[in-house]
Amino acid sequence: MRIDVLTLFPDMFASPLSLSIVKRAQHRGLVQIALSNIRDFAANSYKKVDDTPYGGGPGMVMMPRPVLECLENVQKQESLNGRVILLTPQGRKFDQKLAKELAAEQRIILIAGHYEGFDERIRIVANAEEVSIGDYVLSGGELAAMVIIDAVVRLLPGSLGDEDSAANDSFSDGLLEYPQYTRPEEFNGLKVPDVLLSGNHAQIDKWRKQQAIEKTKANRPDLLDDNKKSENKI
Ligand code: 9D3
């Protein structure tokens, strides 16, 4: 899989892409991640990439030409026509279902903006989908792009160690995880529940399932809705 990221701040990606699972996946050749700086495609000598909104209003808008020329540049580097994704607060909300969809693609192109937003003609000319990572306000699309890269890359076959992928399969039942414990048996006067020390695996499974249901009721009652459970396994 190839992932392109178009951004004004490519340096923000250095650390997340050079750590843990994403790094390993790149080394294993499962994914190639290419960063492009939109500012390299600014025409004028002072490298302007944003301008004031027609009709007035606060902030600045990303200009179409630098973004679309940057996109054209990455598209000509590779014949695969990837899905083009604009990171915006107005987009389809990213979830595990979309992560799985994107992990099945051969190429995705993520465009991270800054300022108040993108000139609408970028979406139209690029035939881009808009994606948001949730209902909160970020200062740009870069962190959203990193979230998507992390969630997608760990789904690529061969990306995780054997233990991780096995664990992932058996617990994608739409509930939150049950509480976990490790040594010591007693910490700050708090004991590990007896059932986990009992060696009775039927009882342990039953306890974990019950705890998972309780946790989900308390923190994410929306997940107990049957439809959501099947469409968005976490
Ligand atoms: C006043 C209107 N704001 C829209 C909610 C303006 C605005 C705020 C923040 C416009 C862009 C941004 C920057 N955010 C993103 O680029 C972004 C984002 C987000 O803020 N939340 C969740 N997902 C995403 S994806 C890109």
Side-chain angles (χ1 to χ4, degrees):
M1 177 183 214
R2 171 166 170 154
I3 303 178
D4 286 278
V5 185
L6 280 53
T7 171
L8 290 170
F9 298 98
D11 292 350
M12 279 182 72
F13 291 80
S15 172
L17 297 185
S18 67
L19 294 169
S20 106
I21 288 168
V22 177
K23 178 195 190 173
R24 195 168 59 186
Q26 289 180 94
H27 281 154
R28 287 177 180 174
L30 304 173
V31 65
Q32 178 201 350
I33 301 173
L35 299 168
S36 298
N37 192 337
I38 294 167
R39 202 171 294 279
D40 292 345
F41 297 84
N44 31 39
S45 53
Y46 51 105
K47 298 285 169 202
K48 190 177 166 69
V49 293
D50 61 318
D51 208 333
T52 54
Y54 278 119
M60 300 293 273
V61 175
M62 298 273 288
M63 295 161 65
R65 192 179 302 279
V67 175
L68 290 170
E69 282 187 2
C70 186
L71 177 63
E72 206 173 290
N73 182 259
V74 299
Q75 277 173 332
K76 74 171 190 238
Q77 287 168 18
E78 166 73 71
S79 59
L80 294 167
N81 275 330
R83 270 168 85 164
V84 180
I85 295 171
L86 274 179
L87 285 324
T88 76
Q90 292 78 39
R92 166 180 172 185
K93 202 188 285 183
F94 185 70
D95 59 14
Q96 194 64 12
K97 179 171 173 278
L98 182 51
K100 286 178 184 172
E101 260 180 62
L102 297 179
E105 298 284 338
Q106 283 191 279
R107 186 180 190 189
I108 59 174
I109 302 172
L110 303 171
I111 307 179
H114 248 78
Y115 318 115
E116 286 301 295
F118 297 98
D119 184 301
E120 183 69 2
R121 291 164 293 187
I122 294 169
R123 184 188 62 75
I124 297 166
V125 173
N127 191 24
E129 308 164 53
E130 292 181 273
V131 173
S132 156
I133 61 163
D135 297 337
Y136 36 81
V137 182
L138 301 171
S139 46
E142 287 77 16
L143 288 168
M146 288 183 238
V147 165
I148 291 172
I149 291 168
D150 192 83
V152 167
V153 167
R154 65 184 294 289
L155 291 175
L156 299 177
S159 184
L160 299 179
D162 288 343
E163 338 76 65
D164 292 332
S165 46
N168 190 37
D169 283 344
S170 50
F171 293 112
S172 47
D173 58 3
L175 295 173
L176 299 181
E177 284 268 320
Y178 50 77
Q180 307 263 23
Y181 292 86
T182 187
R183 278 186 283 271
E185 253 183 65
E186 188 177 325
F187 181 78
N188 274 17
L190 296 169
K191 287 191 169 158
V192 175
D194 283 335
V195 63
L196 297 179
L197 309 174
S198 69
N200 182 336
H201 286 283
Q203 282 296 111
I204 291 170
D205 287 350
K206 196 176 146 204
W207 180 86
R208 284 179 167 171
K209 178 80 179 181
Q210 192 51 44
Q211 291 287 317
I213 292 167
E214 291 306 321
K215 184 80 82 180
T216 308
K217 267 187 205 158
N219 292 352
R220 293 292 307 278
D222 58 300
L223 292 178
L224 293 170
D225 174 46
D226 274 350
N227 298 324
K228 290 221 170 143
K229 231 158 63 172
S230 54
E231 80 196 20
N232 184 26
K233 289 189 170 163
I234 59 165

